């Protein structure tokens, strides 16, 4: 085997409820993750020592050294596997980015998850999904979800996951989303810190939104649009006021719901159909309220090996 290529999706948070800061620098949260069809591709090949190259969307803003989350994931997996696989030499990781960097879409976490799946395969390490998820949880809060994909409830820092819908009950609904990418970035730790400052009183412990879960069970996009929520949005808007205009424009143009993606600054809009999403995307790009737009659908599966054409 020469190398392994893995495709991994971006995530949205359909709900992001943030509790008070914890002693360890993180916030307890309850979130509903949703994987969408915007993918990075990560390829690993054996090498004398670990190295990385990044191409594509925002590549110049991704650290191309040991600080890269994908290389940290490689090191974490190497430490977790025992026996022959643990002795493997280095790997060279190539990341082809389409998920914008520091955009609230967990692109860095996605690349880390992809690196875990790829090295597990390359080294024939045989870790189960649950074992990979445990390593992922140590690498970053959103990494475990990028392995799983679909729609899932995250607790703890976001790394403790349960599927949002029992498979037998899950309607085959595909939702149509429009992403509006901003001209700029937001730092996740700074957005969390701003939220702490903006909150006058100690935040309540976060809770799963029953209306959102009921909307997901019904598969009704109108109900889902009304139930979208993100506690980080007020902080992202305080730091990036132009996003107010973007959100307002999308709603004005007929989106069923609008919110900031994760810690931002990407804005997310839910459309009633593929045709409405196309209209919305065209109108939003014409309105001059964002850098560019993308149409995506969700849910999609998590990180998966791309078969190499023989
Ligand atoms: O886990 P990850 O490296 O993705 O988190 C990035 C930063 O986001 C953390 O260092 C922390 O400042 C903030 N964060 C948080 N609470 C979470 C997840 C992230 O405060 N549950």
């Amino acid at each position: 085997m020469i190398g392994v290529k893995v495709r991994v999706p971006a995530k949205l948070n359909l709900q992001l409820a943030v509790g008070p800061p914890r002693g360890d620098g993180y916030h307890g949260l309850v979130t509903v993750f949703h994987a969408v069809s915007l993918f990075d591709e990560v390829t690993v090949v054996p090498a004398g020592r670990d190295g990385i190259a990044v191409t594509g969307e925002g590549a110049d803003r991704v650290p191309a050294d040991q600080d890269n989350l994908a290389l940290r994931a490689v090191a974490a997996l190497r430490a977790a596997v025992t026996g022959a696989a643990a002795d493997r030499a280095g790997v060279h990781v190539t990341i082809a980015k389409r998920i914008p960097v520091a955009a609230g879409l967990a692109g860095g976490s996605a690349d880390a998850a992809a690196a875990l799946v790829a090295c597990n395969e390359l080294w024939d390490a045989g870790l189960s999904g649950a074992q990979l998820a445990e390593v992922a949880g140590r690498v970053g809060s959103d990494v475990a979800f990028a392995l799983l994909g679909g729609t899932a409830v995250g607790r703890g820092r976001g790394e403790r996951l349960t599927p949002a819908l029992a498979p037998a009950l899950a309607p085959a609904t595909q939702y149509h989303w429009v992403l509006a990418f901003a001209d700029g970035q937001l730092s996740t730790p700074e957005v969390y810190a701003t939220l702490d400052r903006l909150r006058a009183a100690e935040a309540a412990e976060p809770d799963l939104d029953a209306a959102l879960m009921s909307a997901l069970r019904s598969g009704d996009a109108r109900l889902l649009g009304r139930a979208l929520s993100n506690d980080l949005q007020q902080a992202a808007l305080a730091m990036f006021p132009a996003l107010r205009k973007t959100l307002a424009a999308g709603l004005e143009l007929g989106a069923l719901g609008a919110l900031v993606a994760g810690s931002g600054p990407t804005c997310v809009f839910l459309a009633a159909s593929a045709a409405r999403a196309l209209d919305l995307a065209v109108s939003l790009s014409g309105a001059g309220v964002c850098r560019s737009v993308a149409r995506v659908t969700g849910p999609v599966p998590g990180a998966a090996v791309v078969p190499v054409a023989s």
Side-chain angles (χ1 to χ4, degrees):
M1 182 194 296
I2 305 165
V4 179
K5 184 188 280 191
V6 170
R7 195 173 84 139
V8 64
K11 64 85 187 152
L12 307 179
N13 303 83
L14 308 183
Q15 180 192 3
L16 181 46
V18 180
R22 308 193 313 201
D24 63 359
Y26 286 90
H27 295 70
L29 50 85
V30 174
T31 187
V32 177
F33 288 114
H34 181 74
V36 294
S37 60
L38 177 68
F39 300 99
D40 280 358
E41 273 188 358
V42 175
T43 306
V44 298
V45 293
R49 59 191 176 99
D50 288 350
I52 191 153
V54 187
T55 63
E57 171 81 34
D60 52 331
R61 294 190 298 273
V62 182
D65 57 22
Q66 301 294 330
D67 281 345
N68 189 290
L69 210 55
L71 279 192
R72 303 222 306 259
V74 170
L77 185 68
R78 191 179 281 122
V81 296
T82 50
D87 302 330
R88 301 285 173 192
V91 289
H92 188 79
V93 179
T94 307
I95 303 177
K97 290 212 66 67
R98 288 189 54 219
I99 308 172
V101 177
L105 299 167
S109 301
D111 300 339
L116 290 178
V117 170
C119 288
N120 193 36
E121 181 87 7
L122 184 74
W123 295 338
D124 207 10
L127 265 65
S128 66
Q131 288 170 316
L132 280 182
E134 199 187 311
V135 178
R138 287 199 293 276
V139 176
S141 307
D142 295 334
V143 181
F145 176 70
L147 292 175
L148 187 66
T151 306
V153 177
R155 291 193 166 80
R157 288 184 292 126
E159 83 289 11
R160 286 186 3 232
L161 298 171
T162 44
L165 301 169
L169 297 177
T173 312
Q174 279 286 304
Y175 298 100
H176 300 275
W177 305 95
V178 176
L179 308 180
F181 303 125
D183 221 345
Q185 300 179 311
L186 284 174
S187 141
T188 301
E190 284 175 27
V191 175
Y192 274 98
T194 301
L195 177 65
D196 292 339
R197 279 198 300 276
L198 288 174
R199 282 177 159 167
E202 165 108 337
E205 282 307 321
D207 227 345
L208 189 59
D209 181 355
L212 175 70
M213 296 310 285
S214 151
L216 285 171
R217 278 192 298 273
S218 74
D220 183 329
R222 266 175 193 77
L223 293 179
L224 180 61
R226 264 183 252 140
L228 300 170
S229 70
N230 178 3
D231 283 358
L232 290 180
Q233 180 161 313
Q234 55 165 313
L237 293 178
M239 295 171 72
F240 205 134
L243 300 181
R244 285 183 195 283
K245 221 170 144 185
T246 314
L247 292 174
L251 289 171
E252 182 86 1
L253 290 164
L256 301 178
L259 84 177
V260 168
S263 55
T266 303
C267 291
V268 182
F269 303 95
L270 180 59
S273 65
R276 290 290 177 85
L278 179 57
D279 287 346
L280 181 58
V282 170
S283 306
L284 269 175
S285 39
V289 291
C290 55
R291 174 172 59 83
S292 62
V293 297
R295 282 179 300 132
V296 297
T297 59
V300 298
V305 174
V306 181
V308 181
S310 51

